[in-house]
Amino acid sequence: MMQRRDFVAAACAAVLCGSSAFALAAPDPKGDPEKWIFDLSNEMLATIRSDEKLKSGDAAAVQAFVSDKVMPSVDFVRMTRMAVGPSWRNASAEQRQELQKLFRELLIRVYSGALSMVSNQSVELAPSRVKPEGDDIVVRTLMKQPGKPDTHLDYRVKLVKGEWRIINVNAEGVWIVENYRSQFAPIAASKGNEGLIEALREKISSYGKK
Amino acid sequence: MSLMKLLPAAAAVALLAGCAEVPPGAGENPADPWEKMNRQVNAFNYIVDSYTARPVAKAYIKVVPQGARESVSNVFTNMGEPANAMNNALQGKGERSLTSVFRFLINTSFGLGGMFDVAGKVGNQPVANEDFGQTLRVWGVPQGPFVMLPFLGPSTVTDAAGTAVGWYTEPLAYAEDDYVKWGGAAVGLLNLRAEMMPVTDALRDAVDPYVMAREGYLASRLNAQYDGNPPVVLLKDEFEGEDDDKPLEKKETK
């Protein structure tokens, strides 16, 4: 409602939008991982903000966004195999491809609803953190939105062949890969990789039917 | 609806839900020994919610403008501040307790009964959430088994006790007028259900909604217990270096 948008909030929003557009450096996956995550997440927010089709969850726009913006920044093979768990060892090359494809579809479905919530958020590195060291680290960020509590978003990033890649995301204390692993691993353990693939296919084919 | 009418209805739904699928190995997870029963309750909740709270909350989101819903949400956040202050104090978190008192005083007065989060916006004092379940944990009470409560959803034995005690730290519990008390409680539940909508929608798309809800609940409670800074345990990649040369084919297969 308009009366909530008092001067302070409006000014803050204007400054935030302005500054994130201004400070938009091209994310450099070979440089400092914290700076890379900072640039990358603000660039993604700016991309979503400026694309109405994407914000409304238009299937083709979301697929294009995921292929062009998200996939190059993540190590998706690693995310999938960590989510599948021990039975990945017995999976054939075709099954591994299929599991990645289905996991990707599932994630797109579950999280594309969040696209519509993108408005004037910006991402900052979490304050008072220890500078992470090594090639497998956690970058802690806060998503800020005027008038709303901060959202904690942590990214586990790993140096893969000289470039940083996101391999897990933690939203308010919940690691995504662990959460899916606790769903997938028992299915794969009792019904095998083919059973897991079947369960994923069945779930995905039910989308849009309710 | 009177209780006498509600009970047979609940029994009928329970029978309908009685066919919830229980995977092999249910109950082997040490955090969830009652998984078999919990899954039945979860199926019951899913059906009840689908026909009651969910459609009402959907309508509320559709009909009531976002700004008005935010004001309602702020009022209930503000009514939770006395409980936050008490539980912060009981946990020995003096500064956070003062924050809760400060927020309650500022938002109740300048924020017109809590409709506006003046303390958060202007005073830069974000809410310091604590509930009695967290206080019990800080006092050393073990979390106890995970339990899916009928109507209320995921909890643990200790959190359930905390929730029961928590009602007595709600200002609404002391309202003299029954319409204010129960009407207020109903609006509070509606507000909560509407706020949960993105989460429950995601659960509907999960391969195993029960496990997703359980793991998400337990992780977020651990996070709350550590005020957002739980110890970091990184999942090990047991296939390190195995398929780094075989990324997903770029070509889209539909």
Side-chain angles (χ1 to χ4, degrees), chain B residues 211-238:
Chain B
V211 168
M212 190 180 196
R214 181 187 70 200
E215 298 303 312
Y217 177 82
L218 293 176
S220 67
R221 287 302 285 175
L222 185 71
N223 190 55
Q225 196 192 321
Y226 284 93
D227 296 333
N229 285 305
V232 178
V233 183
L234 295 181
L235 178 64
K236 197 173 165 342
D237 178 8
E238 59 257 74

Short mmCIF file of all heavy atoms in Angstrom, two decimals, chain B residues 211-238:
data_model
loop_
_atom_site.label_atom_id
_atom_site.label_comp_id
_atom_site.label_asym_id
_atom_site.label_seq_id
_atom_site.Cartn_x
_atom_site.Cartn_y
_atom_site.Cartn_z
N VAL B 211 9.69 -35.79 3.93
CA VAL B 211 11.12 -35.69 4.29
C VAL B 211 11.61 -34.25 4.09
O VAL B 211 12.36 -33.72 4.91
CB VAL B 211 11.97 -36.68 3.46
CG1 VAL B 211 13.45 -36.37 3.59
CG2 VAL B 211 11.70 -38.10 3.93
N MET B 212 11.16 -33.60 3.03
CA MET B 212 11.57 -32.22 2.80
C MET B 212 11.13 -31.33 3.97
O MET B 212 11.89 -30.49 4.44
CB MET B 212 10.99 -31.70 1.49
CG MET B 212 11.58 -30.37 1.07
SD MET B 212 10.84 -29.79 -0.47
CE MET B 212 12.03 -28.54 -0.93
N ALA B 213 9.90 -31.55 4.43
CA ALA B 213 9.39 -30.74 5.55
C ALA B 213 10.17 -31.04 6.82
O ALA B 213 10.57 -30.14 7.55
CB ALA B 213 7.90 -31.02 5.76
N ARG B 214 10.42 -32.33 7.08
CA ARG B 214 11.12 -32.72 8.31
C ARG B 214 12.54 -32.14 8.33
O ARG B 214 12.95 -31.49 9.30
CB ARG B 214 11.19 -34.25 8.41
CG ARG B 214 11.91 -34.73 9.67
CD ARG B 214 12.11 -36.23 9.65
NE ARG B 214 13.09 -36.63 8.64
CZ ARG B 214 13.20 -37.86 8.14
NH1 ARG B 214 12.39 -38.81 8.53
NH2 ARG B 214 14.13 -38.13 7.23
N GLU B 215 13.28 -32.37 7.24
CA GLU B 215 14.67 -31.91 7.21
C GLU B 215 14.74 -30.39 7.24
O GLU B 215 15.61 -29.82 7.90
CB GLU B 215 15.39 -32.46 5.97
CG GLU B 215 15.47 -33.98 5.93
CD GLU B 215 16.14 -34.57 7.16
OE1 GLU B 215 17.22 -34.09 7.54
OE2 GLU B 215 15.57 -35.52 7.75
N GLY B 216 13.83 -29.74 6.52
CA GLY B 216 13.80 -28.28 6.52
C GLY B 216 13.48 -27.74 7.91
O GLY B 216 14.11 -26.80 8.38
N TYR B 217 12.52 -28.38 8.58
CA TYR B 217 12.14 -27.93 9.91
C TYR B 217 13.31 -28.08 10.89
O TYR B 217 13.67 -27.13 11.61
CB TYR B 217 10.93 -28.72 10.42
CG TYR B 217 10.55 -28.34 11.84
CD1 TYR B 217 9.78 -27.21 12.09
CD2 TYR B 217 11.00 -29.09 12.93
CE1 TYR B 217 9.46 -26.84 13.39
CE2 TYR B 217 10.69 -28.72 14.23
CZ TYR B 217 9.93 -27.59 14.45
OH TYR B 217 9.64 -27.22 15.73
N LEU B 218 13.92 -29.27 10.90
CA LEU B 218 15.00 -29.52 11.87
C LEU B 218 16.19 -28.58 11.62
O LEU B 218 16.78 -28.05 12.56
CB LEU B 218 15.44 -30.99 11.83
CG LEU B 218 14.38 -31.99 12.31
CD1 LEU B 218 14.87 -33.43 12.14
CD2 LEU B 218 14.00 -31.75 13.78
N ALA B 219 16.51 -28.37 10.33
CA ALA B 219 17.65 -27.49 10.02
C ALA B 219 17.35 -26.06 10.41
O ALA B 219 18.21 -25.35 10.96
CB ALA B 219 18.00 -27.58 8.53
N SER B 220 16.12 -25.60 10.17
CA SER B 220 15.84 -24.20 10.48
C SER B 220 15.73 -23.99 12.00
O SER B 220 16.04 -22.91 12.50
CB SER B 220 14.58 -23.72 9.76
OG SER B 220 13.46 -24.37 10.26
N ARG B 221 15.34 -25.04 12.73
CA ARG B 221 15.31 -24.92 14.19
C ARG B 221 16.73 -24.87 14.76
O ARG B 221 17.01 -24.12 15.70
CB ARG B 221 14.56 -26.10 14.82
CG ARG B 221 13.07 -26.03 14.62
CD ARG B 221 12.46 -24.77 15.18
NE ARG B 221 12.35 -24.79 16.64
CZ ARG B 221 11.94 -23.76 17.38
NH1 ARG B 221 11.61 -22.62 16.79
NH2 ARG B 221 11.88 -23.84 18.67
N LEU B 222 17.63 -25.66 14.17
CA LEU B 222 19.04 -25.61 14.61
C LEU B 222 19.59 -24.21 14.35
O LEU B 222 20.29 -23.63 15.18
CB LEU B 222 19.85 -26.67 13.85
CG LEU B 222 21.30 -26.82 14.31
CD1 LEU B 222 21.36 -27.49 15.67
CD2 LEU B 222 22.12 -27.61 13.29
N ASN B 223 19.23 -23.68 13.18
CA ASN B 223 19.66 -22.34 12.80
C ASN B 223 19.14 -21.30 13.81
O ASN B 223 19.88 -20.42 14.25
CB ASN B 223 19.12 -22.04 11.40
CG ASN B 223 19.68 -20.78 10.81
OD1 ASN B 223 20.89 -20.63 10.71
ND2 ASN B 223 18.81 -19.86 10.42
N ALA B 224 17.88 -21.44 14.20
CA ALA B 224 17.28 -20.49 15.14
C ALA B 224 17.94 -20.62 16.52
O ALA B 224 18.19 -19.62 17.21
CB ALA B 224 15.78 -20.74 15.26
N GLN B 225 18.25 -21.86 16.89
CA GLN B 225 18.86 -22.09 18.19
C GLN B 225 20.21 -21.38 18.29
O GLN B 225 20.59 -20.91 19.36
CB GLN B 225 19.03 -23.60 18.35
CG GLN B 225 19.30 -24.05 19.76
CD GLN B 225 19.73 -25.51 19.76
OE1 GLN B 225 19.21 -26.32 19.00
NE2 GLN B 225 20.69 -25.84 20.58
N TYR B 226 20.93 -21.31 17.16
CA TYR B 226 22.21 -20.62 17.14
C TYR B 226 22.07 -19.18 16.63
O TYR B 226 23.04 -18.59 16.18
CB TYR B 226 23.21 -21.39 16.27
CG TYR B 226 23.76 -22.62 16.95
CD1 TYR B 226 23.16 -23.86 16.77
CD2 TYR B 226 24.88 -22.54 17.77
CE1 TYR B 226 23.66 -25.00 17.39
CE2 TYR B 226 25.39 -23.66 18.40
CZ TYR B 226 24.77 -24.89 18.20
OH TYR B 226 25.26 -26.00 18.82
N ASP B 227 20.88 -18.63 16.67
CA ASP B 227 20.60 -17.27 16.20
C ASP B 227 21.21 -17.00 14.82
O ASP B 227 21.78 -15.94 14.57
CB ASP B 227 21.12 -16.24 17.21
CG ASP B 227 20.40 -16.35 18.55
OD1 ASP B 227 19.24 -16.81 18.54
OD2 ASP B 227 20.98 -15.98 19.58
N GLY B 228 21.07 -17.97 13.93
CA GLY B 228 21.51 -17.79 12.55
C GLY B 228 22.94 -18.17 12.27
O GLY B 228 23.38 -18.05 11.13
N ASN B 229 23.69 -18.63 13.29
CA ASN B 229 25.08 -19.02 13.05
C ASN B 229 25.38 -20.43 13.56
O ASN B 229 26.21 -20.60 14.45
CB ASN B 229 26.04 -18.03 13.72
CG ASN B 229 26.11 -16.73 12.95
OD1 ASN B 229 26.41 -16.74 11.76
ND2 ASN B 229 25.80 -15.64 13.62
N PRO B 230 24.69 -21.44 13.01
CA PRO B 230 24.95 -22.80 13.48
C PRO B 230 26.35 -23.25 13.02
O PRO B 230 26.88 -22.69 12.07
CB PRO B 230 23.87 -23.62 12.80
CG PRO B 230 23.53 -22.87 11.57
CD PRO B 230 23.77 -21.41 11.88
N PRO B 231 26.93 -24.24 13.71
CA PRO B 231 28.22 -24.75 13.26
C PRO B 231 28.09 -25.29 11.84
O PRO B 231 27.09 -25.94 11.52
CB PRO B 231 28.54 -25.88 14.25
CG PRO B 231 27.30 -26.12 15.03
CD PRO B 231 26.42 -24.92 14.91
N VAL B 232 29.06 -24.97 11.00
CA VAL B 232 28.99 -25.38 9.59
C VAL B 232 29.56 -26.78 9.44
O VAL B 232 30.70 -27.04 9.81
CB VAL B 232 29.77 -24.39 8.70
CG1 VAL B 232 29.71 -24.86 7.25
CG2 VAL B 232 29.17 -23.00 8.83
N VAL B 233 28.73 -27.70 8.95
CA VAL B 233 29.21 -29.05 8.63
C VAL B 233 29.02 -29.23 7.13
O VAL B 233 27.90 -29.19 6.64
CB VAL B 233 28.39 -30.12 9.39
CG1 VAL B 233 28.95 -31.50 9.11
CG2 VAL B 233 28.39 -29.82 10.89
N LEU B 234 30.13 -29.39 6.41
CA LEU B 234 30.02 -29.49 4.97
C LEU B 234 29.83 -30.94 4.54
O LEU B 234 30.52 -31.84 5.02
CB LEU B 234 31.26 -28.90 4.29
CG LEU B 234 31.44 -27.39 4.49
CD1 LEU B 234 32.68 -26.91 3.75
CD2 LEU B 234 30.21 -26.61 4.03
N LEU B 235 28.85 -31.14 3.66
CA LEU B 235 28.58 -32.47 3.12
C LEU B 235 29.78 -32.93 2.30
O LEU B 235 30.30 -32.18 1.49
CB LEU B 235 27.32 -32.39 2.23
CG LEU B 235 26.88 -33.65 1.51
CD1 LEU B 235 26.47 -34.73 2.50
CD2 LEU B 235 25.71 -33.33 0.58
N LYS B 236 30.19 -34.17 2.51
CA LYS B 236 31.35 -34.68 1.79
C LYS B 236 30.91 -35.17 0.42
O LYS B 236 29.85 -35.78 0.27
CB LYS B 236 31.95 -35.85 2.59
CG LYS B 236 33.36 -36.20 2.16
CD LYS B 236 33.92 -37.24 3.13
CE LYS B 236 35.16 -37.95 2.64
NZ LYS B 236 35.52 -37.94 1.26
N ASP B 237 31.71 -34.89 -0.58
CA ASP B 237 31.44 -35.39 -1.93
C ASP B 237 32.22 -36.68 -2.10
O ASP B 237 33.44 -36.67 -2.28
CB ASP B 237 31.88 -34.34 -2.97
CG ASP B 237 31.66 -34.84 -4.39
OD1 ASP B 237 31.04 -35.91 -4.55
OD2 ASP B 237 32.10 -34.14 -5.32
N GLU B 238 31.50 -37.83 -2.03
CA GLU B 238 32.22 -39.11 -2.05
C GLU B 238 32.67 -39.50 -3.45
O GLU B 238 33.31 -40.52 -3.64
CB GLU B 238 31.37 -40.21 -1.42
CG GLU B 238 30.02 -40.47 -2.07
CD GLU B 238 28.85 -39.87 -1.27
OE1 GLU B 238 28.69 -38.63 -1.29
OE2 GLU B 238 28.10 -40.63 -0.63
#
